[in-house]
Amino acid sequence: MAVSKVTVVQAGVAAVISLLVAQHDAAAEASAVPTGAHPRIVLNSELRASWKAAAKDPNSVVSRMVAKCDTIGKDPKEYDHDVYMAFTWAASIQNCLVAWVVTDKAAYANTVIRYFTAILDDRQDVGDGKGGDESIRRDSGYPMRVMGPYTALAYDWLYDYPGMTPALKARARGRWKVWTDWYLDKGYHAREAASNYQAGWLLGATLIAIAQGDEGGAAGTKLWRTVVDDLWGNDMAKALAPTGVMAGGDWTEGWQYAPLSIAEYALAGRALQAYAPPPTGLATFFEQVYARHVAALAPGGQTFANGDTEAATGNIEVAMLTLAATAISGAALPYRQMAVEELRKLKLRFDDFVLFEALALDGDVPARAGANDELRNTNATWYLASGTSTLYARTKWGTDGIWTAMKCSGIGTVDHMNADAGNVVLSRGVDDVLTDPSPYGTLSTLTSNAPTLPSKNLPPDYPPGQGFWSQETGWKWAHQMGGGTVLARCDYADQFRFREINSDVPVAHRDVIVVPTRGGSDATMIILDEATTNDAARDLMLRFRLVPKLTQTGNRVTAVVGASQLGLTTVSATGNPAAKLVASTLKDCWGNTVTRGNCDAARYPVTDYRLNVPGPTKQALHVLTATGAAAPTPKPLATVGGRAGVVVDDDAAVWGDGKAAALTYQVSKPTRVGTHVITDAPTGAVVTATAVGAGCEIAARGSAGSAFTKPLVFTLDGNCKLTADDARRPIIGGGNRAAPTPAPQGGSNTTPTNLAPPAKGARTGCCDAQRSPGSSIVLTTLVLGILGLRRRRTA
């Protein structure tokens, strides 16, 4: 019997539809609304046994929680007044829930119910009756991160306890419906992943949806589908993608806001995985969080803030929740063990959210001594967090090395991240030599070390700072070479875009080169700034925020910073402007005397080294040295076929003009092996070194007319012998979207492949931030294919 082609096609379509429907049904069954016995959230037999065993150790976190619950029970009135947004009551619930789990004492459960009821009904004092449905609306929904999760845990863990009556459980489910409906509709950042409000909302919504499950009826089913399909399946999946804002484990609001937020993601993800698969990339994210922690930790033991902070120091203290997040997450076991050991080593605690500490230290992670040092016991000493475009690098591990952090982010739709593309900080051992003293809530580039210039595009109160609408800002290259030299070029010309209006700055980039010396105990940081505006009146504004007491001689300053000698020199600058030393008198940017763009406040005392570079085409070359002995004096380096150069002792950096077929320069014969860097060299350049009298002549010859080439790095010894530094050091952790593998360029040197500007992630704009995605159209699309400006909060 003949079978028509149409019949075959129809049969094929039917088979595909059947397969897709089956897969869809299987996925739906796998993520069906939670049912069955309680507890459903985290508390399984293994965790219960682990906590009971920990309770026998008087020094354990669990024992501390039992003792705290005893204290609360002796005089509950002392804890009946909530200090802030239900935080006090939530802390009492955490301590007493764990105490009840390990002892089964009714008194502990009754204390939980006391504060569970208070969160449901009251506002500031137990029994005041001023809370209820409206409580969640405070501060645009901020209390959701404590009111939602900890009432859900109490409901779930005490579900069968007599004091958790049917009427009380029904009242909780009623509150939850009102709270979650309101937050989804009007809560701040309800659909914008990688914001601290959304992290708290996601934890609350996830735990509520699991705790009530089918007991919530139609409302419970609706919330579950919102949690699984929309909040996790759409919003978080985009943010966790290799090109998303969370790639690399950094946090777009900075590390004053990161620890609690990422811990909330960890607990929510751990609870979710028992009922629905978490998005691809969630486990990797927490591995990256630990890798970022290691990379961003300065030798003095503090971490790079990377955004708003109120700390009185350049870097900020590590938080317990940063490490607990990885420890309790679905990260690979070695990373969880590393986080636990690091937490034990640093002896961190945070009693407002002690449950996370108990899950991390007294939970299900088997001990492995020394695990925390695994990422440090390698030659990997740099890390690129692509989501925030932040490069971290050091010369060596230990407290006697050089450490730096550099930024090149165009992020503008997330709170607490500053407009500071090109910002850089540097520490020598425990001495913070170049720091970022930006005060909390700054909206100014001038509070950082980032370059900027006035733009006629931006609204009147923004200039001279950078804007928040960039689509192209990012690294051209950013990595560390095998010999330890760090190379980075930040292209920030698009920081002066305003919405649909293209930037009025054709060229703006900052090159940063860090050359280690004395075995990595000292370093030279070389910074070249270039910008073109076609307007001589718009100066390139540079500032370096340094220690309060500086000694100035012309365009050079020196200072003693702890055990370090600081030197900063303007080697050359268009128009030969004079540098000024200015100490800001402002501590914040809230006063009426400043606009958002011209604030120069500092949250701790510093003196600025300021240089305004004139001309339609502007260039400035600076050298910052951090040494144990007297700071060396840099010298300009003349070139043929180049546009700038500098030599510092036996190290040199040269910039080609990107057009000539040859670039040459001469240096004295080095007394030690020196490092040389050439950027924008002729295409396919072959580098040679020839002895010429008492010096060496270096030549890079290739093809003329290249628009852009990558850095060449090599060493030069006293015999004018050149040795190429071709390889990159391995990246810390290896889990983030790192720079590509180096590609040969030929000749006597090879160079690394360019880094494209980081791709845009799941950031939403003013019109999409709260919009829910529509119903799934995957089946329809496949079958048809076969047939034919959000505000910046400072709260």
Side-chain angles (χ1 to χ4, degrees), residues 12 109 138 210 222 225 251 253 262 264 269 290 309 324 392 399 455 479 536 605 620:
R138 290 174 287 175
I210 295 172
K222 180 181 177 182
R225 294 263 59 91
W251 189 253
E253 294 174 324
I262 61 176
E264 288 167 335
Y290 185 75
T309 181
Y392 302 99
T399 59
S455 169
H479 55 271

Side-chain angles (χ1 to χ4, degrees), residues 164 270 315-316 503 569 622 674 693 722 748:
M164 187 65 75
R270 179 165 173 164
N315 297 311
I316 63 175
S503 171
T569 305
H622 286 89
L722 180 154
S748 62

Side-chain angles (χ1 to χ4, degrees), residues 421-605:
N423 194 15
V424 59
V425 300
L426 183 136
S427 298
R428 178 182 179 271
V430 300
D431 302 327
D432 295 331
V433 175
L434 178 64
T435 67
D436 180 3
S438 294
Y440 185 96
T442 180
L443 296 171
S444 171
T445 307
L446 300 181
T447 61
S448 71
N449 297 302
T452 191
L453 44 80
S455 169
K456 296 179 180 179
N457 271 358
L458 301 180
D461 61 340
Y462 280 71
Q466 301 174 11
F468 291 84
W469 294 272
S470 173
Q471 299 175 6
E472 303 295 337
T473 296
W475 299 110
K476 290 295 185 183
W477 22 267
H479 55 271
Q480 187 177 41
M481 301 302 291
T485 299
V486 179
L487 306 170
R489 170 170 288 177
C490 175
D491 183 344
Y492 66 96
D494 203 48
Q495 289 294 94
F496 306 99
R497 167 189 294 273
F498 178 60
R499 295 180 179 170
E500 300 83 12
I501 302 173
N502 290 335
S503 171
D504 59 353
V505 178
V507 175
H509 63 79
R510 164 169 278 187
D511 291 3
V512 181
I513 300 170
V514 181
V515 180
T517 57
R518 271 203 339 118
S521 296
D522 295 350
T524 298
M525 174 179 279
I526 305 168
I527 301 175
L528 181 76
D529 287 288
E530 293 188 302
T532 301
T533 60
N534 300 320
D535 183 351
R538 293 161 59 192
D539 290 354
L540 172 63
M541 304 177 70
L542 306 176
R543 61 191 56 209
F544 299 93
R545 315 207 78 183
L546 305 166
V547 293
K549 294 182 180 181
L550 298 170
T551 299
Q552 183 177 20
T553 304
N555 280 6
R556 175 173 169 79
V557 293
T558 56
V560 176
V561 187
S564 302
Q565 299 282 338
L566 159 69
L568 175 66
T569 305
T570 302
V571 178
S572 62
T574 307
N576 297 314
K580 296 181 180 180
L581 297 185
V582 180
S584 175
T585 59
L586 297 176
K587 293 185 177 180
D588 60 58
C589 296
W590 305 114
N592 295 325
T593 60
V594 296
T595 62
R596 61 182 293 162
N598 69 12
C599 180
D600 63 359
R603 67 180 188 272
Y604 51 84

